[in-house]
Amino acid sequence: MGSRSPVPSGREEECPCLVKVSYGYDTKHKPFDVLNNKTPAVEIYVWKSMSLYDVSVLIADQTVLQKEDTRHAEWKFSFRIAYFDSVRRKSAFREIGSACLHDPDLLQGNRLLRNVGYRYGDILDVSIRPDSIRLSSVHSK
Amino acid sequence: MDTPSSDPQKLSTQPQTTVKLESPEPNNVKIESPSPQPEQQQQQQQEDQKMDVDKPAVNEEAVRGRRMMGALLGTLGRIQRETQEERQNSRMQRRMQLEQRLAKRLQEERQQLEEQERTELERKKREAAEELELDRRELLRLVDERKEQFRLTHTKPQLFYCEYRS
């Protein structure tokens, strides 16, 4: 059985790249700290045809799914790309979307990395927040 | 001495004197009926005396009758009030019982609904956790497949690279 993402995540001709992901539980880092390796981070292999939900699963594999009390699907991952703004001469963030682990169709879980403007070498910043499952989903896309 | 003569010629020449006659006032005129005969007078007197004796008896009866009527009406009204209160009490009791039954039924239904929602939510959480586990294994398998298709550097961290193919 394959992944629940509507678009296949793997392509034979696409070479995976190593990306550094800075993560925090319900916190917001400063872009300067992210770019200067002052925040906790994990390294994962991604490719541009991967969706935000797939990236969230790979990040969760090394973070929330490691401990017994946090091993469940009720998490929300909010992604940002940290970069240096050469015009304003300061580091900045750019929001690219959010994804829920319990449902790949919620929020921006179906967006591909290539469509959100990700380039190889960009550093991702992820904010992990609890997101309880509801009987009727009312999340806005 | 000259006396008023009967001579008409003389009468006319003599000064005339006016005599004011006082007419009797109508209010002061008393017309008395013809007085009855003595026997009839006695009878009338006797009748008058009789009426004077019966008047207190008639008043007492009327007063007693009114008193009895009042007591009767009072009793009737009290009985009516008591029956109305009884009816209201029984009605209120029935209403309270009905409301209690309804409230109990509502509470039971609410509990059942909450129980159903809880079981449904737990089922969804369990299914989400299982599917997440499947997706995680699938993605890790894909990453491992790439290790066979592409080359890995010996550096740390290891990087994939693809040789140029013309």
Side-chain angles (χ1 to χ4, degrees), chain A residues 52-111:
Chain A
L52 288 181
Y53 167 76
D54 294 336
V55 177
S56 307
V57 171
L58 291 174
I59 296 168
D61 179 50
Q62 297 190 33
T63 52
V64 293
L65 298 179
Q66 294 288 321
K67 293 180 189 173
E68 192 67 40
D69 55 345
T70 56
R71 195 178 297 159
H72 55 81
E74 290 176 294
W75 295 105
K76 184 171 93 170
F77 288 72
S78 301
F79 292 89
R80 296 186 292 182
I81 293 176
Y83 68 100
F84 184 78
D85 193 348
S86 55
V87 173
R88 292 178 191 168
R89 291 215 164 262
K90 62 175 186 177
S91 48
F93 275 129
R94 185 164 61 85
E95 299 268 351
I96 57 175
S98 304
C100 292
L101 283 186
H102 53 85
D103 194 348
D105 294 330
L106 283 178
L107 302 172
Q108 294 85 31
N110 288 337
R111 278 194 198 167

Side-chain angles (χ1 to χ4, degrees), chain A residues 1-4 10-12 14-16 18 43 45 47 53-54 57 61 65 73-74 102 133-135, chain B residues 117 120-121 124-125 128-129 131-132 134-136 138-140 143 146 149-150 157-162:
Chain A
M1 190 187 295
S3 171
R4 282 183 292 173
R11 283 189 192 176
E12 291 182 1
E14 195 155 3
C15 184
L18 188 66
E43 289 175 344
Y45 292 102
W47 40 92
Y53 167 76
D54 294 336
V57 171
D61 179 50
L65 298 179
E74 290 176 294
H102 53 85
I133 295 173
R134 295 176 189 83
L135 285 177
Chain B
E117 283 181 2
E120 180 71 18
L121 203 61
K124 278 200 167 186
K125 285 183 184 179
E131 285 174 359
L132 175 66
L134 288 173
D135 290 340
R136 188 185 70 87
E138 178 67 18
L139 282 166
L140 290 175
V143 170
R146 298 306 161 90
Q149 290 170 8
F150 299 97
Q158 286 184 313
L159 299 173
F160 284 98
Y161 71 95
C162 180

Side-chain angles (χ1 to χ4, degrees), chain A residues 20-25 27-43 63 80 82 93 123-127:
Chain A
K20 189 168 93 172
V21 180
S22 155
Y23 68 94
Y25 293 98
T27 57
K28 283 205 168 182
H29 296 136
K30 292 179 183 173
F32 181 80
D33 295 337
V34 172
L35 289 172
N36 288 282
N37 303 325
K38 290 185 182 174
T39 54
V42 294
E43 289 175 344
T63 52
R80 296 186 292 182
F93 275 129
I123 299 175
L124 288 177
D125 176 71
V126 160
S127 173

